[in-house]
């Protein structure tokens, strides 16, 4: 790695722009071509410096201001079935199972949903509950968006 690679990694850690050519701005800052940026990224990946490259969209930045985790109390014999069902919906961005705390917190399945307003989430959750026949759930709305890294 040289100083350009270090600066490149530093710039990428700040995020890339949502454009057709997201590496152009970084290339200009570095004084190299966007092709060289891509070549360097490939080499850094092959060397194991970069394990993976992914993108995360912040829901609030694209108009999805209602963000919620819905905790469900699903019978253990139905977790695979219900998890597969929840995961089949594009509006469910995460679906996972967790252990419960007996007598305190007995919700064992969680899904994450984003929408333009809370009413849309509530309607979708009611529809899911009716379809799967599970009515023990709680909707936990985000209060604020914390920085993602």
């Amino acid at each position: 790695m040289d100083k350009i690679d270090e600066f490149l990694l530093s710039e990428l850690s700040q995020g890339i722009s949502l454009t057709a050519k997201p590496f152009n701005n970084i290339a200009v800052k570095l004084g190299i071509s966007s092709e060289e940026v891509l070549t360097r990224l490939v080499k850094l990946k092959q060397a194991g410096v970069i394990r993976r490259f992914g993108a995360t969209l912040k829901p609030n930045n694209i108009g999805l201001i209602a963000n919620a985790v819905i905790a469900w109390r699903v019978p253990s014999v139905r977790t695979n079935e219900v998890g597969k069902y929840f995961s089949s919906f594009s509006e469910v961005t995460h679906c996972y199972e967790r252990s419960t705390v007996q007598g305190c917190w007995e919700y064992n399945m969680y899904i994450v949903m984003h929408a333009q307003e809370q009413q849309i989430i509530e309607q979708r959750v009611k529809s899911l509950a009716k379809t799967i026949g599970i009515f023990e759930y709680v909707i936990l709305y985000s209060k604020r968006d914390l920085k993602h890294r």
Side-chain angles (χ1 to χ4, degrees):
M1 276 186 37
D2 60 16
K3 292 289 182 192
I4 293 175
D5 289 334
E6 290 174 10
F7 188 78
L8 174 59
L9 292 173
S10 175
E11 284 294 309
L12 288 174
S13 71
Q14 303 303 313
I16 59 174
S17 58
L18 188 59
T19 63
K21 297 183 179 182
F23 300 111
N24 284 0
N25 291 341
I26 294 172
V28 169
K29 286 182 181 179
L30 289 168
I32 61 177
S33 69
S34 55
E35 291 79 16
E36 185 175 346
V37 168
L38 293 173
T39 299
R40 285 176 175 270
L41 289 174
V42 168
K43 287 180 181 175
L44 290 168
K45 176 130 176 43
Q46 289 171 343
V49 174
I50 297 173
R51 286 185 295 165
R52 67 177 190 84
F53 193 86
T56 301
L57 293 175
K58 293 182 180 180
N60 290 1
N61 292 351
I62 58 172
L64 302 175
I65 58 172
N67 308 299
V69 171
I70 300 89
W72 300 81
R73 188 173 179 184
V74 177
S76 59
V77 296
R78 294 192 62 201
T79 54
N80 286 338
E81 165 209 345
V82 173
K84 286 178 184 177
Y85 179 73
F86 285 157
S87 298
S88 71
F89 291 90
S90 61
E91 58 261 48
V92 174
T93 60
H94 298 76
C95 178
Y96 47 96
E97 181 182 7
R98 295 273 192 228
S99 299
T100 62
V101 177
Q102 204 66 9
C104 179
W105 185 258
E106 298 188 13
Y107 299 99
N108 60 335
M109 186 163 291
Y110 300 82
I111 63 174
V112 177
M113 298 177 83
H114 309 280
Q116 294 83 6
E117 53 190 55
Q118 290 183 358
Q119 182 180 8
I120 294 171
I121 290 177
E122 290 165 9
Q123 290 170 347
R124 289 177 180 163
V125 170
K126 284 179 185 175
S127 176
L128 290 173
K130 184 177 180 183
T131 303
I132 61 170
I134 296 174
F135 300 95
E136 291 185 66
Y137 62 85
V138 61
I139 302 174
L140 307 167
Y141 289 104
S142 298
K143 293 177 77 172
R144 63 186 170 118
D145 188 26
L146 302 173
K147 185 172 179 117
H148 301 286
R149 284 239 171 213

